[in-house]
């Protein structure tokens, strides 16, 4: 029989679920934000080589958090489009709840949920587990590759995300490769017709798109940045 959980009980049971897991942990939550307490528990599972799967639908991680996840060998992340479910499982129990993983939800919101124990209701647990497995199958496994944050005063390049997009380079990485600072690189790309400037902001031109360049939106900077094929570095070097 399932147990009803209040906000405090969901917090407690989720920690116990992760702490006591000896085989697997599945965390399903739209928002990929993880508070410090859950981080500590997952790091311990990683040290014990326990398989952890995190399924999410909206990525709002800061680069520091991404770097933290990349250092965990037994924690895998998957993106599931249109995900709204919040469900957390181990080999022994499952929690279905309104509560997200991120700390704001656990502190400020009124949450509720149910706890299903495998040894008390094997049939219901099996249904929850099978649906979790289906979400894993339909989701895309993601290798998080966002660059570690550097304070702006420590660098003359803007903070940019490095995405695993066919080994493409951000503008700052492209600049470093050809021996320029980012501002000079942007000026050169503009002179070559790959980007254009409007109202103090750069935009990718059709010529840039034809090379295979991409414009991406960064939720951290709340602005667009560019990814360039590595071949552009040769073009830039020859035009210097």
């Amino acid at each position: 029989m399932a147990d009803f959980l209040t906000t405090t009980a969901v917090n407690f049971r989720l920690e116990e679920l992760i702490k006591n897991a000896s085989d697997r942990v599945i965390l399903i939550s739209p928002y990929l934000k993880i508070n410090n307490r859950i981080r500590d528990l997952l790091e311990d599972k990683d040290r014990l080589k326990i398989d952890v799967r995190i399924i999410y639908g909206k990525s709002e991680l800061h680069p520091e958090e991404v770097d933290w996840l990349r250092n965990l060998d037994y924690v895998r992340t998957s993106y599931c489009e249109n995900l709204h479910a919040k469900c957390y499982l181990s080999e022994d129990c499952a929690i279905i709840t309104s509560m997200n993983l991120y700390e704001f939800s656990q502190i400020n919101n009124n949450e509720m949920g149910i706890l299903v124990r495998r040894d008390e209701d094997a049939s219901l647990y099996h249904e929850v587990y099978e649906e979790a497995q289906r979400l894993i199958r339909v989701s895309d496994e993601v290798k998080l590759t966002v660059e570690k944050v550097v304070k702006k005063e420590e660098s003359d390049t803007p903070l940019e995300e490095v995405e695993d997009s066919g080994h493409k380079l951000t503008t700052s990485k492209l600049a470093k490769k050809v021996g320029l600072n980012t501002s000079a690189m942007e000026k050169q790309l503009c002179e070559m017709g790959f980007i254009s400037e409007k109202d103090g902001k750069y935009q990718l031109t059709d010529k840039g798109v034809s090379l295979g360049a991409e414009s991406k939106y960064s939720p951290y900077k709340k602005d667009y940045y560019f990814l360039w094929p590595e071949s552009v570095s040769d073009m830039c070097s020859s035009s210097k």
Side-chain angles (χ1 to χ4, degrees):
M1 182 176 180
D3 293 341
F4 175 75
L5 305 176
T6 61
T7 305
T8 303
V10 172
N11 283 319
F12 173 75
R13 292 298 183 183
L14 176 56
E15 288 193 12
E16 290 295 299
L17 181 153
I18 299 173
K19 187 189 304 180
N20 296 328
S22 59
D23 182 54
R24 74 179 73 91
V25 175
I26 302 173
L27 305 176
I28 300 171
S29 178
Y31 296 95
L32 190 53
K33 285 187 177 181
I34 303 172
N35 68 33
N36 289 335
R37 177 59 181 162
I38 299 298
R39 278 195 190 194
D40 291 342
L41 294 172
L42 293 180
E43 286 176 0
D44 188 51
K45 296 295 104 172
D46 190 68
R47 284 189 288 269
L48 295 171
K49 300 182 179 180
I50 304 300
D51 181 49
V52 178
R53 293 297 301 262
I54 301 176
I55 316 300
Y56 69 98
K58 296 179 177 63
S59 180
E60 294 187 2
L61 273 184
H62 292 292
E64 304 98 311
E65 294 173 298
V66 176
D67 189 67
W68 169 76
L69 276 171
R70 289 175 59 199
N71 291 324
L72 301 179
D73 295 328
Y74 294 89
V75 177
R76 290 181 289 168
T77 57
S78 297
Y79 173 80
C80 184
E81 190 174 7
N82 299 323
L83 180 69
H84 198 260
K86 296 97 175 176
C87 182
Y88 314 112
L89 302 91
S90 70
E91 69 275 8
D92 294 325
C93 61
I95 297 172
I96 303 171
T97 177
S98 60
M99 190 183 75
N100 288 295
L101 281 177
Y102 63 89
E103 193 167 30
F104 176 86
S105 179
Q106 298 173 27
I107 293 177
N108 298 303
N109 293 346
N110 291 308
E111 309 286 356
M112 62 176 66
I114 62 168
L115 172 68
V116 179
R117 295 184 178 86
R118 185 178 183 179
D119 60 354
E120 294 181 2
D121 197 334
S123 177
L124 180 56
Y125 173 87
H126 181 73
E127 288 186 52
V128 178
Y129 178 77
E130 284 302 309
E131 178 61 14
Q133 289 298 310
R134 185 190 71 82
L135 291 176
I136 290 174
R137 288 194 298 271
V138 301
S139 63
D140 297 322
E141 189 166 342
V142 176
K143 185 174 179 62
L144 298 167
T145 56
V146 175
E147 186 179 20
K148 204 171 186 178
V149 169
V150 181
K151 290 182 181 178
K152 192 164 186 178
E153 59 267 23
E154 296 174 354
S155 172
D156 63 352
T157 61
L159 302 181
E160 293 190 8
E161 298 170 25
V162 178
E163 295 198 356
D164 186 8
S165 181
H167 304 291
K168 291 183 178 178
L169 305 172
T170 60
T171 304
S172 62
K173 291 293 184 181
L174 179 63
K176 186 176 181 180
K177 190 168 184 178
V178 300
L180 299 173
N181 62 40
T182 303
S183 297
M185 186 76 261
E186 289 172 335
K187 183 178 179 181
Q188 184 176 346
L189 290 168
C190 193
E191 291 173 350
M192 298 171 72
F194 299 150
I195 58 176
S196 61
E197 186 177 5
K198 183 179 180 180
D199 299 329
K201 292 183 177 291
Y202 289 107
Q203 298 177 334
L204 195 61
T205 64
D206 291 340
K207 186 176 180 180
V209 173
S210 68
L211 293 172
E214 300 176 61
S215 178
K216 298 281 188 176
Y217 182 75
S218 168
Y220 314 114
K221 293 168 55 182
K222 300 187 184 302
D223 200 359
Y224 286 90
Y225 65 101
F226 307 118
L227 291 172
W228 303 94
E230 292 191 29
S231 58
V232 175
S233 62
D234 296 329
M235 302 171 64
C236 294
S237 297
S238 62
S239 66
K240 284 171 57 178

